[in-house]
Amino acid sequence: MKILLISPTVDTEKRTNKGLMIPQLALYILEGLTPDRFDVEVIEEETKKVNLEQECALVAISCMTANAPRAYQLCDDFQKRGKTVILGGVHPTILPDEALLHANAVVIGEAEGVWETLLCDFENNTLKQKYHNSNPDLEKYVRKDFKKIASKRLFNIIPILTTRGCPYNCDFCCVTNLFGQKIRHISVENIVRDIRESQAKVFIFLDDNIIGNPAYAKALFKAIKPLKIKWVGQASISLLVGDDELIQLAAESGCQSLFLGIESVSVKQLLSMRKSIKEIQHLEHAFKKVKKMGILIHASIVFGFDDDTKEIFDETVQFLVRNKVSTVSFNVLTPYPGTKVYEKLKNEDRLITTDWKYYDHNTVVFKPKNMTPLELQLGKINARKKFYSKTSVLKRLLGNWYKPFVYLSMNLGHMKQVKVESRRIANLKANLLRQ
């Protein structure tokens, strides 16, 4: 009996730059949870077309908000052909009743603890509409086909997930809706086993905060140090710079770059996010501390908060260039369903659209407070263009000379994507002029 596991693209006419694609893991965990009596094929639509006529008994599709419309289209197409379709992932977890308009069943939250039960129910024609286990057992080792994962990526980078859950519950984030607020861990032994069995040397930890539990993080870093790997991950800068041993162990274990959720460099905005005024004052010191360990910094910036004015774009770029930040993701505030910011903007009648394909971090879908939607859209794109200009890249190179090849290759990848985004906004402006 064959099962298709599918991760849809957002737009079938466009594909993400292969060098900037975040590696998939969820479907490969699902594949590992599937009993051997089933034949499983994993399809990432970013790299392979979906054949609707393919012979299979069951189709399982995992989606986030931006690719939910495409997921729903695939569901409808497969159901027309008599297939049973399961939906899971972030968006179906938040809006399961919406998802059930297109699927036979929905997995809410994590698949561990429910997937095998769901398969048995399917075989016995007793499939339920919703499956949910709020506290699945993470002790059991789940095998993964790492060769298959690596073949779809540049640099053979392998994804690893060590923890689930996030205690912060930020207004604009929906991670806690999927994994809960309590941090749970996969055993260090199983992480080491994953690394060894992959036979790879470059990894990305997909955790929302790899150091969320410092004691666990230290044990993990000590355990992987002898494996001589290189890795990148995401961390809280406040936890990182407050613990010298932690940052030292991260560097010694092979950490090459850290994704740091700065969000904003506006003092007013940091205060509204309940962050200390000292955080902005010590941010430059924190950057220096991370860089001193030979770790590149990838910062995440969000534009569009209610305190943001048109001055925020230049202010942010100047701060980032002055501090020679290695790379940056520039995002617009996205009010994902299930978040506090979504409810706030909905109640204030400030949502422009609820067409989920535009909920992608890059497209303005609401009315900002101190500028127009187009000013926010253009401001974000122009900030990215300035930061990834040749002049900026060369200026920042002096502060990233400890890893020049990695720094330059990452910046060149972003420079290519800036050109793609510039063409996109040119088309948007042309369409507006024709209206």
Side-chain angles (χ1 to χ4, degrees), residues 74-332:
L74 287 171
C75 288
D76 296 342
D77 289 341
F78 275 115
Q79 284 191 324
K80 287 176 185 176
R81 290 162 173 77
K83 309 301 183 187
T84 299
V85 182
I86 313 299
L87 269 172
V90 178
H91 193 79
T93 291
I94 294 168
L95 298 175
D97 292 330
E98 177 188 283
L100 280 170
L101 296 174
H102 304 273
N104 299 93
V106 172
V107 173
I108 298 170
E110 299 156 81
E112 291 96 337
V114 302
W115 182 241
E116 291 186 58
T117 301
L118 183 153
L119 292 177
C120 287
D121 288 350
F122 170 70
E123 289 179 301
N124 295 323
N125 294 314
T126 58
L127 193 68
K128 302 178 184 66
Q129 284 195 316
K130 296 179 182 179
Y131 290 84
H132 179 49
N133 183 338
S134 60
N135 189 30
D137 181 14
L138 300 180
E139 289 300 315
K140 180 182 176 182
Y141 181 74
V142 179
R143 59 182 176 81
K144 304 165 194 75
D145 191 336
F146 289 108
K147 289 183 179 178
K148 196 183 294 181
I149 298 173
S151 68
K152 294 180 172 63
R153 298 291 178 281
L154 291 179
F155 315 120
N156 294 325
I157 191 165
I158 295 295
I160 300 284
L161 189 64
T162 74
T163 59
R164 307 278 176 87
C166 179
Y168 296 116
N169 197 23
C170 296
D171 290 355
F172 52 87
C173 182
C174 54
V175 169
T176 54
N177 298 77
L178 184 64
F179 294 132
Q181 287 188 264
K182 181 182 178 182
I183 296 181
R184 294 165 289 128
H185 305 98
I186 295 170
S187 70
V188 171
E189 292 76 15
N190 282 344
I191 300 302
V192 171
R193 181 176 173 182
D194 266 348
I195 293 172
R196 290 187 186 280
E197 292 195 2
S198 73
Q199 297 182 334
K201 285 297 179 184
V202 184
F203 297 83
I204 177 171
F205 288 106
L206 299 177
D207 306 70
D208 295 291
N209 187 357
I210 186 68
I211 59 168
N213 183 321
Y216 173 85
K218 289 176 182 179
L220 174 66
F221 297 156
K222 288 175 183 177
I224 65 176
K225 179 181 176 180
L227 304 180
K228 306 294 183 184
I229 66 169
K230 295 180 180 180
W231 63 269
V232 298
Q234 183 173 339
S236 164
I237 193 166
S238 57
L239 283 173
L240 193 68
V241 299
D243 191 327
D244 289 346
E245 182 190 15
L246 185 59
I247 192 171
Q248 179 74 39
L249 288 171
E252 291 176 354
S253 69
C255 181
Q256 304 296 297
S257 177
L258 283 174
F259 180 105
L260 303 175
I262 307 303
E263 273 80 59
S264 178
V265 299
S266 163
V267 172
K268 187 183 292 186
Q269 179 55 37
L270 287 171
L271 286 173
S272 73
M273 293 164 66
R274 298 179 297 279
K275 293 189 177 185
S276 168
I277 186 70
K278 293 180 181 179
E279 195 152 339
I280 191 65
Q281 292 176 340
H282 294 305
L283 202 51
E284 293 181 336
H285 171 69
F287 285 160
K288 289 176 183 177
K289 201 169 185 180
V290 174
K291 284 170 169 285
K292 189 176 180 181
M293 290 295 171
I295 297 172
L296 295 172
I297 294 172
H298 180 87
S300 174
I301 294 293
V302 178
F303 294 128
F305 294 109
D306 278 355
D307 289 317
D308 285 348
T309 63
K310 285 183 282 186
E311 288 71 37
I312 191 66
F313 306 111
D314 285 340
E315 178 187 345
T316 300
V317 172
Q318 290 166 10
F319 176 88
L320 295 168
V321 172
R322 184 173 69 250
N323 285 282
K324 297 180 174 57
V325 173
S326 312
T327 50
V328 178
S329 293
F330 292 99
N331 309 287
V332 292

Side-chain angles (χ1 to χ4, degrees), residues 1-2 34-39 116 119-121 123:
M1 189 180 293
K2 185 164 187 176
T34 304
D36 291 337
R37 65 183 181 274
F38 294 95
D39 178 25
E116 291 186 58
L119 292 177
C120 287
D121 288 350
E123 289 179 301

